Amino acid sequence: MTFNKVPEPGDVPPRSYVYCPVDVSEWRVLIVDDVFDNISIAEAVLDFNGAEVKHAVNGVIGLEMVETYKPNLILLDLSMPEMNGWEMHEKLRESSATDSIPVIALTAHAMQGDEEKVMQAGFDGYIAKPFSVTTLVADIKTILNKVNTKADKE
């Protein structure tokens, strides 16, 4: 299901969420997804916890926003119109200006083997939809800690 309108700042999904005691105030997150509910829930949870968040509805717009917004984290859906997440990820990794931005697949591709496929493609992490609003920030933080540990070893 695609959304009927682009989320506006302050749009809050009709759900409650839990504050996660992780400092995310330095996170500049770009969410790239074509489903309004996914964007609005993730955006609300991250914003509530102190992150700066923007969104795009497909990979084409996402790549444009990367240039202007300069995110330090991207949550990327894999199945979208115009340019899917696989293609956007590949383009991000081709550019020295964007190849070090952590990219986490936030996807409904949750069948056996999908996570392995995502990680083999070079994504930094994988979170299956539907994601938990109570653990989203902690899940992202865990992935980022793994990314940082890996970078420290290299």
Side-chain angles (χ1 to χ4, degrees):
M1 175 170 101
T2 57
F3 55 90
N4 296 338
K5 72 175 190 110
V6 174
E8 298 293 329
D11 281 354
V12 178
R15 303 185 189 237
S16 60
Y17 14 83
V18 176
Y19 173 74
C20 181
V22 174
D23 181 19
V24 300
S25 63
E26 295 182 11
W27 290 5
R28 293 175 51 82
V29 184
L30 177 61
I31 301 169
V32 186
D33 199 316
D34 63 327
V35 178
F36 173 75
D37 287 343
N38 296 333
I39 293 171
S40 64
I41 293 168
E43 190 169 42
V45 170
L46 292 165
D47 180 68
F48 181 80
N49 280 278
E52 181 180 331
V53 186
K54 301 257 186 208
H55 63 267
V57 297
N58 62 52
V60 172
I61 297 169
L63 286 174
E64 292 170 1
M65 290 189 70
V66 166
E67 291 181 25
T68 57
Y69 177 55
K70 308 286 189 213
N72 57 19
L73 172 62
I74 298 172
L75 301 180
L76 185 57
D77 184 28
L78 299 178
S79 298
M80 298 177 289
E82 295 189 50
M83 179 186 291
N84 65 41
W86 299 103
E87 292 175 80
M88 181 177 169
H89 178 263
E90 187 175 311
K91 291 189 181 300
L92 289 166
R93 293 302 181 240
E94 289 173 356
S95 169
S96 62
T98 58
D99 67 348
S100 64
I101 301 171
V103 180
I104 298 172
L106 186 63
T107 180
H109 289 259
M111 300 298 288
Q112 185 174 1
D114 286 341
E115 181 174 2
E116 291 78 15
K117 183 177 177 184
V118 165
M119 298 307 289
Q120 287 174 354
F123 283 79
D124 296 294
Y126 169 92
I127 297 173
K129 294 182 212 169
F131 55 86
S132 168
V133 297
T134 59
T135 64
L136 179 63
V137 173
D139 293 343
I140 293 169
K141 183 68 174 177
T142 297
I143 291 167
L144 293 177
N145 284 339
K146 289 178 185 176
V147 169
N148 291 336
T149 300
K150 182 180 173 184
D152 289 345
K153 289 181 180 179
E154 293 177 349

